[in-house]
């Protein structure tokens, strides 16, 4: 996200006030607005840092969640493996705190699971996703992530099963419909894959989605 001049000015003013303020004022007045402003322009690593300052002050689950989510967003966008690992670890730290207070928060547990996938213990994340589905069989985020991971590992039959279940629960889930088409194509079910891709074309007229689907249809022709 390219920041507007107004957004840049707002951040600059808030930063000046933050670093000039007393420790208590930094934490209570300026940290959270700075986190929100950085998130608006897509700078999630900066947003996470300020959200962490705020969360440590308030010590409330909602603020732990905000910090965790910003770290998670930063993790998903990071390209450097070392940075990815550090951001994932920070996200887990706050998600663990949230789950301590809200053990039934399956969205948080699913996101936390995904932070393990790029580590030396990816199965820990897979097992967490399965635990979510055991407790909440219709959890859309867990189904989607397990479907996506199954495609990445070449387990297309498992991916099809997960994604078919997801689109039964939520037929309007365009990303799941698209992934299902990809899984079917890779499984060699060309006719079903083609029908699936045409369904996605009808569902989402976004030019980027249309171009993506057209590229897959071209491969099938």
């Amino acid at each position: 996200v390219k920041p507007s001049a107004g957004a840049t000015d707002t951040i600059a003013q808030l930063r000046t006030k933050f670093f000039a303020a007393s420790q208590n004022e930094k934490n209570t007045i300026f940290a959270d607005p700075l986190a929100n402003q950085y998130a608006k322009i897509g700078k999630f690593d900066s947003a996470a840092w300020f959200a962490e300052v705020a969360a440590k002050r308030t010590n409330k689950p909602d603020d732990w969640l905000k910090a965790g989510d910003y770290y998670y967003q930063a993790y998903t966008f990071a390209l450097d493996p070392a940075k990815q690992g550090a951001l994932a670890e920070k996200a887990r730290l706050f998600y663990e705190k949230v789950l301590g207070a809200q053990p039934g928060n399956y969205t948080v547990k699913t996101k936390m699971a995904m932070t393990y996938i790029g580590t030396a213990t990816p199965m820990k994340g897979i097992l967490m996703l399965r635990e979510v589905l055991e407790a909440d069989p219709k959890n859309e985020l867990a189904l989607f992530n397990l479907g996506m991971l199954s495609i990445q590992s070449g387990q297309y039959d498992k991916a099809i099963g997960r994604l078919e279940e997801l689109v039964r629960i939520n037929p309007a889930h365009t990303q799941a419909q698209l992934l299902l088409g990809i899984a079917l194509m890779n499984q060699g079910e060309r006719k079903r894959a083609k029908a699936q891709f045409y369904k996605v074309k009808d569902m989402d007229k976004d030019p980027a989605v249309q171009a993506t689907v057209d590229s897959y249809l071209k491969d099938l022709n």
Side-chain angles (χ1 to χ4, degrees):
V1 180
K2 187 175 181 179
S4 66
T8 304
D9 288 346
T10 300
I11 287 172
Q13 289 168 16
L14 284 168
R15 282 179 64 91
T16 299
K17 291 175 181 176
F18 176 86
F19 288 109
S22 68
Q23 191 63 44
N24 189 50
E25 286 176 326
K26 283 180 184 181
N27 295 349
T28 57
I29 301 173
F30 302 116
D32 191 57
L34 272 164
N36 295 337
Q37 288 297 323
Y38 274 117
K40 282 180 184 176
I41 63 171
K43 290 187 176 292
F44 291 106
D45 48 354
S46 296
W49 190 90
F50 284 106
E52 178 175 355
V53 171
K56 285 179 175 176
R57 171 66 182 178
T58 65
N59 211 27
K60 291 179 180 177
D62 284 352
D63 294 318
W64 299 336
L65 177 58
K66 181 184 277 191
D69 279 347
Y70 286 160
Y71 274 118
Y72 182 77
Q73 289 280 75
Y75 154 72
T76 62
F77 286 115
L79 299 176
D80 177 67
K83 188 174 182 180
Q84 274 186 334
L87 292 167
E89 194 173 330
K90 279 283 194 177
R92 283 196 294 274
L93 176 78
F94 284 102
Y95 284 158
E96 281 172 357
K97 289 171 77 69
V98 175
L99 289 172
Q102 303 168 1
N105 192 326
Y106 297 124
T107 298
V108 165
K109 190 168 183 177
T110 298
K111 289 179 182 177
M112 185 171 164
M114 293 302 290
T115 67
Y116 285 106
I117 300 304
T119 69
T121 55
M123 274 310 296
K124 190 167 184 176
I126 301 291
L127 292 172
M128 284 181 72
L129 290 172
R130 290 176 183 167
E131 285 171 9
V132 169
L133 286 181
E134 283 176 19
D136 181 17
K138 293 185 177 182
N139 188 285
E140 294 183 22
L141 189 57
L143 283 167
F144 180 80
N145 284 327
L146 279 170
M148 178 180 64
L149 292 169
S150 295
I151 289 175
Q152 289 175 357
S153 60
Q155 300 177 82
Y156 303 117
D157 53 340
K158 286 186 179 179
I160 291 166
R162 298 292 191 192
L163 295 166
E164 283 181 335
E165 175 63 17
L166 175 48
V167 299
R168 270 195 294 271
I169 295 164
N170 181 6
H173 199 306
T174 310
Q175 285 181 297
Q177 296 280 11
L178 177 59
L179 274 189
L180 178 55
I182 294 168
L184 288 165
M185 181 178 71
N186 282 292
Q187 184 74 352
E189 298 193 38
R190 297 172 65 86
K191 188 175 179 181
R192 284 184 65 199
K194 191 177 285 191
Q196 187 66 29
F197 288 135
Y198 278 116
K199 180 189 285 188
V200 175
K201 278 179 74 72
D202 289 338
M203 287 177 67
D204 193 335
K205 299 302 181 183
D206 181 277
V209 174
Q210 293 285 314
T212 299
V213 174
D214 285 340
S215 70
Y216 287 121
L217 285 169
K218 188 176 179 182
D219 290 340
L220 287 168
N221 289 329

